[in-house]
Amino acid sequence: MSEATGQLAQGAAPNLDMYLPLVLLFVMAAGFAVFSVLLGPLVGPQRYNRAKFEAYECGIEPSPQPVVGGGRMPIAYYVTAMLFILFDIEMVFLFPYAVSADALGIWGVFAVAIFIATFFIADIYVWLRGGLDWN
């Protein structure tokens, strides 16, 4: 075997060794998932009743149509979901600023202040329009 081939064979092994912890983590996660799924029915209680086989409705008898609003879902649920998405997106955009605040300097502070003011104006608009009232 030539010297170049020997160095290539020796150099290839360490590159694969660094992936071993990652592979072991995936194997352990898959093993735990399979173990949990198989062990649940074996050690869990075997009491069956009608309620266990129905759809989960928070303890309320399921109905084909929502009772509130004559078949319509209250808009407050959708407004709450949209406000959650709005705040979530705000945090996603503020996180990179928090990480690199020193590098951005005073202009970064002004940019983030304008960004937060824009969201604050939107929050005041929703509040004044009654979007946060559940009555």
Side-chain angles (χ1 to χ4, degrees), residues 55-116:
Y56 180 68
E57 292 284 338
C58 300
I60 301 171
E61 290 294 325
S63 61
Q65 292 286 333
V67 179
V68 179
R72 291 181 152 181
M73 201 68 160
I75 194 72
Y77 293 114
Y78 300 110
V79 172
T80 304
M82 291 304 293
L83 289 174
F84 174 76
I85 291 171
L86 182 75
F87 290 125
D88 196 34
I89 290 173
E90 182 180 8
M91 288 302 112
V92 165
F93 283 117
L94 284 177
F95 184 74
Y97 169 74
V99 170
S100 62
D102 292 339
L104 295 176
I106 194 71
W107 295 111
V109 173
F110 287 133
V112 168
I114 291 170
F115 180 72
I116 291 175

Side-chain angles (χ1 to χ4, degrees), residues 6-93:
Q7 290 175 352
L8 180 63
Q10 289 176 352
N15 290 337
L16 296 178
D17 287 343
M18 69 181 187
Y19 292 110
L20 183 62
L22 185 64
V23 171
L24 289 177
L25 182 67
F26 282 132
V27 168
M28 285 175 38
F32 180 75
V34 170
F35 175 74
S36 298
V37 168
L38 294 178
L39 190 66
L42 294 176
V43 298
Q46 302 294 326
R47 296 179 302 240
Y48 294 103
N49 57 23
R50 191 181 124 238
K52 281 191 175 185
F53 292 110
E54 290 185 5
Y56 180 68
E57 292 284 338
C58 300
I60 301 171
E61 290 294 325
S63 61
Q65 292 286 333
V67 179
V68 179
R72 291 181 152 181
M73 201 68 160
I75 194 72
Y77 293 114
Y78 300 110
V79 172
T80 304
M82 291 304 293
L83 289 174
F84 174 76
I85 291 171
L86 182 75
F87 290 125
D88 196 34
I89 290 173
E90 182 180 8
M91 288 302 112
V92 165
F93 283 117

